[in-house]
Amino acid sequence: MARLLAAIAVFLSVAVSAYSQEKVVVKGVITSAEDGLPLIGAAVLDEKGNGVVSDLDGNYSFEALPGSELTFTCIGYNDLKRTVPEKGGVIDVVMTAEALNLEDAVVIAYGVRKKGTVAGSVATVKSEKLEDTPVPAFDQALQGQVAGLTVLSSSGEPSQSATMTIRGTNSINSGTAPLYILDGVAISASDFNTINPADIESMSVLKDASSTSIYGARASNGVIVITTRRGRDTSKASISFKTQLGVSSIAHGNWDLMNTAERILYEKETGMSDGQNYEYLSTIDVNWLDAVFNDAALLQSYELSLSGASDRTNYYVSGSYYNQQGIAPGSSFGRYSFRANFEQTISPSVRIGVNTMFNYQDIEQADEGSYTLVTPISAARFMLPYWDPYKSDGSLASINDGSWRGQGQNPLEWIANNPLRYRKYKALAMAFAEADLMKNLVFRSQMSADYSHTAGFGQSFPSYAPNQGEGTAQRSSNDILNLQISNTLTYRFSVGGLHDFTLMLGQEGENYHSEGFSVTGKGQTNDYLTDIAFATRVTSWSSVSDSDYSRLSFFGRGEYNLSDKYYFEASLRSDASSRFGANSRWGTFGAVGFMWNLRNEPFAAPARGWLSNAQLSFSSGTSGNSTIPNYEHLELIGGNGDYVGDGAMAPVQPGNENLSWESCWTSNLGLHAGFWNRLNVDFELYAKLTTDMLMAVPLSYAQSNGFGYRWENVGKMVNAGAEINLAATLVSTESLSWDINFNAGYNFNRITELYNGVNEYENANTNTKLVVGHPLGEFYMNRFAGVNPANGDALWYDRDGNITNQLRDSDRVLLGKSYHAPWQGGFGTSLRWKRLTLSAQMSFVAGRYMVNNDRYFDESNGRFATYNQSSRLLERWKQPGDVTDIPRHGVFTEFDSRLLEDASFMRLKNLMIGYSFPKVRLYAQAQNLFTLTGFSGLDPEGASNIYAAQYPMSRQFTFGLEFKF
């Protein structure tokens, strides 16, 4: 007991002594190791998070307990720790700047910034999100990754690119795609599949005026900046070999067409059974979805790269082969690609570099988007289930030997005898030189040449009976050369260690040229000689006239940083485009931006222990759009006229010399917060106003001299919305980490003005209508009201909402539904336990509608009864009292609201599990593993207003192996 009391006494003595220990004063100067200047706003914190901030001269004074530890921290500098002496005193601190590593780098227009110092709205996608995804191009891997970026594919054909929009659709007839910049060079969406995703270091999505306006004429729809890899490791050369092998099948696939038993029942009920041998036909039951689409299409890729760096050189060289069989017959994609990036410091003030890419593609494309009885994607819906496309030995049933028993032709045999292939050759080279003209003044000149050649070759073999012994050969050739040059002068300087300035002036030019031709020859008599050279006659010849486009630009940008707390940006750009007449060729665009770093304010010092980021940003400005055909401002004549049987010259285009730039004014308000270095929240509001829209304005033929339209600058449109991005690290230890992410964007779109006082205009053959006060792409249709249970008639609502059995064009109304999705986003998780990793990423699109054109044929209710039909027709109205939404047989399906479907979907975009050894990584993944949707077609994903015989997206299962040395 005595010992216990003695221990308690000692403990209390020590505690009282510590409590009563007096604080001492510590003071000093905080300076930068880079230039020796004082650091303003640097924080000095004790172990409890209490602290002060250095003044304008870098001085600080602080009371702390002797022996305690102080932390010195400043944005852009490495933290330092110092122990408080027993009697206090002077502690002068020299802080070193943080290196700008890849995780902190944000690629913006004409430069790189440190994360947290950008006033504009920029989202970055790093290489790990792209490099292992089993897709031919990076676009599909972006789906669901960035708030405000909508990525949709109207085709699952391997060589086709996706459609991207940033923060809504800004124009009616002009281009709506973002500007794509690859290593400083503008490229088109058709070039996506020429880029090996494994060669991409990072991608920056520039969304607001402050970040895009410097691109001026091309940036009204946002900008996506793609940066390829460089050598980083200065200790040794790094060699990487990666291979993937997998299979593909249909990603979704709602299929409700009749099987043989259902088809026979339907034919008997509708009086189509005359002459049918149902005893024999009932022995055949073909699911044409399985017959046409491959459920194990092979996918393979091989990549080899070499990279390294020294104090004067960095390099990255890669070669790859990618091959993907399409899930539909007659489609495949093969690519051989080579990339070499090289940078060299040739003197202390001069640096040079070159990026080159060479690419060869072999493409076979399936016919999609049109309804025929011979192309497999559409024919799969028309073929009856008792028509077997194969013989008993597994070979194709042929019309040549009579083994094909169906009507018309076997679509699988037709595609085999009518192949269409393309070969594409791509070369892109960019070279730059960078020189320090004086201290902090850098001049950079960059030139690029982008060349592509595409050759098409189509055949129809004479041995195929429907060709009646005569072959056909088609050849086409297209060449594109795009030359670009840019020169920039950048000056950085600091005043008193308090004010940091960056000024840039630049000039840019572009010259685009394309040309091509196609020729068709017939009369070949041998399958092996089915080429143009062996044709007996040329049946068509067309030459694509040379098409040229040029652009000249001058621009400037100023950046100002006050004490790492206040960031200001301003940019101005002037562009001239050959697409406009001399009257209106030049356009000027500008923007301003501001970012306030609240965390560096003195009042935030006590919160720095848990508040890792706090920024408020605002930007506003304009950018332009000139994405129209190259010569629309000119009045043109052509030589394809006909005058009483003789060739003639005739006007072919109305022209408009006053045609000028479409302009988009964008404002953005952003809040960015981080907590405990574990949770990051980004919330942004934006508003965009498009004016002087480039539109092919419809005119009467009399008013337009027989053309029916004229390109003009008309109308206004607004887009406004909100975006949120959340990223959290739930667990972070040496052996276990768990991260989650979520992003979502909402866009509100309205047309506020059309043209010539017109408030509404119907888009012919689209079931949509442009109306002031309504969104772009809103559907305009008759409203289906169901079926009269007394007699099986189809019913509709008239314009006033009354029910009628008369379908009248005058009763069509706006339905409040658009094919442009207002909602998009994604969420995912990443889990690591020691060397085992597991990740998943979901994407979603909501509020989007499409007309399912397939149902017009499948549920025709008698109009196309000789083709296979949906099994839903067995539930049609048959007798008085039946309650159903399908009228009686013979009351045909019309283009009304029953065909309009909600195309919202949620898709598990990627699921991956991997295990890493010291130099080897093994992984398995699934792409598009499952899809949740109410859409009844094969695939809810699409970018247009209508779903018609579409090539569906594929689901891939792949296994990967990666070696690093």
Side-chain angles (χ1 to χ4, degrees):
M1 186 66 175
R3 290 181 179 179
L4 177 60
L5 292 174
I8 293 174
V10 171
F11 173 78
L12 292 174
S13 175
V14 172
V16 170
S17 175
Y19 181 78
S20 61
Q21 187 177 18
E22 293 186 0
K23 293 182 178 181
V24 296
V25 176
V26 180
K27 60 184 179 180
V29 181
I30 306 173
T31 57
S32 168
E34 306 299 310
D35 50 22
L37 295 174
L39 289 178
I40 302 105
V44 184
L45 305 173
D46 63 16
E47 294 168 338
K48 295 183 178 180
N50 301 315
V52 295
V53 176
S54 59
D55 62 18
L56 296 178
D57 297 316
N59 296 315
Y60 76 93
S61 179
F62 186 56
E63 291 186 348
L65 293 173
S68 63
E69 190 174 62
L70 298 182
T71 299
F72 296 81
T73 179
C74 185
I75 294 294
Y77 291 84
N78 295 308
D79 289 353
L80 288 177
K81 294 184 181 296
R82 294 289 186 268
T83 301
V84 176
E86 285 294 324
K87 296 182 180 181
V90 176
I91 301 179
D92 292 331
V93 174
V94 180
M95 303 189 71
T96 58
E98 293 178 339
L100 185 60
N101 58 47
L102 290 179
E103 293 301 316
D104 292 330
V106 177
V107 180
I108 60 168
Y110 306 100
V112 178
R113 296 269 198 85
K114 181 179 173 59
K115 185 187 299 182
T117 66
V118 180
S121 177
V122 181
T124 299
V125 181
K126 296 297 185 180
S127 59
E128 56 266 23
K129 299 287 188 178
L130 307 170
E131 57 185 350
D132 294 330
T133 306
V135 291
F138 65 85
D139 48 0
Q140 276 295 318
L142 283 177
Q143 192 178 77
Q145 298 282 1
V146 177
L149 174 64
T150 302
V151 182
L152 292 170
S153 293
S154 293
S155 173
E157 199 274 323
S159 68
Q160 295 296 310
S161 59
T163 299
M164 294 195 225
T165 55
I166 297 176
R167 293 182 166 179
T169 303
N170 299 318
S171 186
I172 293 176
N173 291 147
S174 187
T176 59
L179 170 66
Y180 305 102
I181 302 292
L182 173 65
D183 290 335
V185 180
I187 63 172
S188 68
S190 61
D191 292 328
F192 287 169
N193 58 26
T194 66
I195 305 169
N196 179 12
D199 288 339
I200 296 176
E201 185 81 79
S202 69
M203 299 182 65
S204 293
V205 181
L206 315 184
K207 298 185 282 188
D208 73 323
S210 178
S211 57
T212 65
S213 185
I214 192 66
Y215 285 113
R218 304 169 292 168
S220 66
N221 299 308
V223 182
I224 296 180
V225 181
I226 306 163
T227 304
T228 57
R229 292 183 182 274
R230 306 291 191 272
R232 303 293 181 184
D233 193 344
T234 59
S235 61
K236 62 177 182 177
S238 175
I239 301 175
S240 174
F241 173 75
K242 183 187 299 182
T243 181
Q244 292 189 66
L245 183 66
V247 294
S248 303
S249 59
I250 288 182
H252 181 55
N254 281 327
W255 187 261
D256 63 356
L257 297 184
M258 295 177 180
N259 59 28
T260 295
E262 292 169 331
R263 177 66 193 188
I264 290 174
L265 176 60
Y266 178 72
E267 291 181 1
K268 290 179 178 179
E269 289 180 348
T270 56
M272 300 172 60
S273 59
D274 290 349
Q276 295 283 55
N277 183 355
Y278 288 132
E279 183 177 355
Y280 167 73
L281 294 178
S282 62
T283 64
I284 306 170
D285 193 1
V286 176
N287 184 321
W288 276 88
L289 180 72
D290 297 335
V292 166
F293 292 100
N294 191 346
D295 62 355
L298 184 64
L299 180 154
Q300 56 183 321
S301 70
Y302 308 90
E303 302 165 4
L304 179 64
S305 66
L306 170 68
S307 65
S310 67
D311 58 345
R312 299 174 62 87
T313 306
N314 80 68
Y315 58 90
Y316 173 84
V317 181
S318 74
S320 68
Y321 169 69
Y322 180 93
N323 185 277
Q324 181 178 347
Q325 295 178 359
I327 58 174
S331 64
S332 64
F333 176 78
R335 178 184 64 211
Y336 299 85
S337 62
F338 171 80
R339 171 170 288 279
N341 294 346
F342 176 81
E343 296 178 8
Q344 176 72 37
T345 300
I346 60 177
S347 76
S349 60
V350 179
R351 297 162 294 280
I352 61 173
V354 61
N355 291 2
T356 58
M357 178 183 74
F358 301 98
N359 197 278
Y360 167 74
Q361 298 175 23
D362 191 355
I363 303 168
E364 189 176 8
Q365 287 188 341
D367 190 358
E368 60 170 325
S370 59
Y371 292 99
T372 74
L373 293 175
V374 292
T375 52
I377 291 177
S378 64
R381 312 194 72 85
F382 298 142
M383 297 295 105
L384 298 182
Y386 47 68
W387 295 345
D388 197 337
Y390 294 100
K391 301 178 186 177
S392 57
D393 62 1
S395 60
L396 285 175
S398 175
I399 198 171
N400 287 2
D401 59 14
S403 56
W404 167 249
R405 304 292 178 83
Q407 296 178 9
Q409 304 170 40
N410 181 351
L412 300 184
E413 184 187 26
W414 185 92
I415 197 67
N417 284 277
N418 293 271
L420 176 62
R421 305 187 74 90
Y422 293 92
R423 290 182 173 87
K424 184 174 182 179
Y425 305 82
K426 177 80 171 179
L428 175 60
M430 182 276 287
F432 76 88
E434 195 173 78
D436 299 328
L437 303 183
M438 55 181 286
K439 183 179 180 180
N440 298 328
L441 181 63
V442 179
F443 173 74
R444 179 185 174 98
S445 183
Q446 176 177 300
M447 295 176 289
S448 68
D450 183 357
Y451 172 74
S452 60
H453 169 72
T454 304
F457 183 35
Q459 295 173 285
S460 185
F461 298 128
S463 63
Y464 186 43
N467 294 335
Q468 299 179 339
E470 181 177 73
T472 302
Q474 301 171 310
R475 284 198 179 273
S476 64
S477 175
N478 289 279
D479 293 273
I480 297 175
L481 176 63
N482 194 16
L483 303 176
Q484 299 179 55
I485 184 171
S486 69
N487 298 287
T488 59
L489 191 64
T490 304
Y491 183 50
R492 297 180 175 89
F493 64 96
S494 180
V495 178
L498 180 64
H499 310 277
D500 292 325
F501 295 88
T502 300
L503 303 176
M504 181 186 69
L505 294 175
Q507 172 272 329
E508 195 170 66
E510 179 180 8
N511 193 347
Y512 171 94
H513 173 79
S514 68
E515 60 184 53
F517 71 89
S518 64
V519 60
T520 301
K522 291 188 176 184
Q524 300 89 344
T525 57
N526 187 294
D527 286 1
Y528 297 101
L529 302 178
T530 309
D531 202 347
I532 298 295
F534 303 99
T536 59
R537 65 192 186 280
V538 172
T539 58
S540 69
W541 176 284
S542 66
S543 176
V544 179
S545 300
D546 292 1
S547 182
D548 293 273
Y549 164 70
S550 60
R551 176 180 52 82
L552 178 63
S553 308
F554 299 94
F555 53 89
R557 179 171 64 199
E559 305 169 20
Y560 170 58
N561 168 15
L562 174 60
S563 303
D564 287 324
K565 291 188 291 186
Y566 311 106
Y567 295 82
F568 298 89
E569 298 178 3
S571 63
L572 186 68
R573 178 166 178 139
S574 188
D575 292 274
S577 171
S578 65
R579 288 175 176 155
F580 303 125
N583 299 340
S584 309
R585 184 153 290 165
W586 286 90
T588 301
F589 312 94
V592 294
F594 167 73
M595 191 268 283
W596 179 23
N597 192 338
L598 287 80
R599 187 177 184 271
N600 277 2
E601 291 288 358
F603 61 74
R608 289 177 187 167
W610 56 270
L611 185 65
S612 49
N613 184 34
Q615 296 178 347
L616 186 66
S617 62
F618 175 78
S619 67
S620 186
T622 62
S623 52
N625 193 346
S626 62
T627 312
I628 59 173
N630 286 339
Y631 305 111
E632 289 296 331
H633 70 284
L634 297 173
E635 294 185 64
L636 299 179
I637 61 173
N640 59 345
D642 182 280
Y643 182 74
V644 195
D646 294 327
M649 305 289 287
V652 296
Q653 184 171 289
N656 181 0
E657 284 298 326
N658 293 317
L659 199 63
S660 186
W661 298 92
E662 179 177 287
S663 179
C664 184
W665 188 297
T666 303
S667 296
N668 188 88
L669 178 65
L671 175 63
H672 313 280
F675 307 94
W676 306 286
N677 286 312
R678 290 290 188 93
L679 173 64
N680 290 294
V681 181
D682 302 287
F683 180 73
E684 297 191 15
L685 299 172
Y686 65 87
K688 300 194 290 184
L689 172 64
T690 306
T691 58
D692 296 326
M693 287 189 292
L694 289 164
M695 180 178 177
V697 175
L699 301 172
S700 69
Y701 281 92
Q703 184 181 4
S704 61
N705 295 322
F707 295 107
Y709 78 98
R710 186 190 187 197
W711 279 90
E712 295 183 7
N713 293 101
V714 297
K716 297 178 182 179
M717 182 189 299
V718 297
N719 284 275
E723 297 168 358
I724 188 169
N725 183 79
L726 304 174
T729 300
L730 302 181
V731 179
S732 181
T733 67
E734 183 177 349
S735 59
L736 178 66
S737 65
W738 182 18
D739 299 322
I740 59 173
N741 64 82
F742 171 82
N743 72 82
Y746 172 76
N747 183 75
F748 172 88
N749 173 275
R750 285 295 182 270
I751 299 170
T752 58
E753 182 182 318
L754 279 173
Y755 58 89
N756 302 333
V758 173
N759 289 324
E760 58 182 46
Y761 169 68
E762 182 180 348
N763 289 314
N765 303 316
T766 66
N767 294 294
T768 65
K769 193 174 188 180
L770 304 175
V771 180
V772 172
H774 290 258
L776 181 69
E778 185 171 356
F779 287 97
Y780 179 67
M781 308 178 76
N782 291 100
R783 293 172 292 172
F784 184 63
V787 176
N788 187 336
N791 57 18
D793 279 351
L795 301 175
W796 295 271
Y797 294 104
D798 66 15
R799 178 171 288 274
D800 298 321
N802 303 308
I803 293 180
T804 176
N805 61 358
Q806 299 296 314
L807 181 65
R808 293 183 293 258
D809 191 67
S810 59
D811 287 330
R812 289 187 297 163
V813 297
L814 291 167
L815 300 181
K817 300 173 181 178
S818 171
Y819 66 89
H820 296 293
W823 291 95
Q824 61 77 223
F827 55 93
T829 185
S830 177
L831 182 67
R832 178 191 59 83
W833 179 65
K834 295 184 178 179
R835 294 182 175 180
L836 181 68
T837 59
L838 176 67
S839 64
Q841 184 69 34
M842 303 282 292
S843 65
F844 66 84
V845 168
R848 181 177 179 275
Y849 290 81
M850 278 195 303
V851 172
N852 189 346
N853 202 121
D854 287 355
R855 288 176 54 204
Y856 180 75
F857 294 92
D858 300 345
E859 300 176 15
S860 70
N861 220 18
R863 179 181 275 132
F864 303 104
T866 56
Y867 307 146
N868 202 11
Q869 300 288 284
S870 168
S871 58
R872 292 188 69 241
L873 294 189
L874 297 175
E875 301 171 1
R876 68 191 182 280
W877 186 96
K878 298 175 185 177
Q879 60 185 10
D882 285 350
V883 178
T884 177
D885 62 346
I886 303 175
R888 68 180 187 276
H889 182 73
V891 178
F892 302 152
T893 296
E894 304 293 347
F895 268 100
D896 53 37
S897 63
R898 84 187 90 176
L899 300 182
L900 186 63
E901 298 188 30
D902 188 342
S904 304
F905 66 88
M906 181 180 293
R907 179 165 273 167
L908 179 53
K909 201 64 187 174
N910 185 267
L911 177 66
M912 179 182 295
I913 185 170
Y915 190 85
S916 297
F917 298 94
K919 293 184 180 297
V920 181
R921 177 170 172 256
L922 299 169
Y923 59 93
Q925 63 181 318
Q927 187 82 356
N928 299 328
L929 185 58
F930 68 79
T931 304
L932 302 176
T933 182
F935 188 71
S936 66
L938 289 180
D939 190 1
E941 190 168 342
S944 70
N945 62 304
I946 195 165
Y947 177 92
Q950 184 171 305
Y951 195 127
M953 294 295 294
S954 61
R955 176 191 297 120
Q956 290 105 26
F957 294 93
T958 57
F959 298 90
L961 178 63
E962 182 178 6
F963 299 90
K964 288 188 176 181
F965 307 98

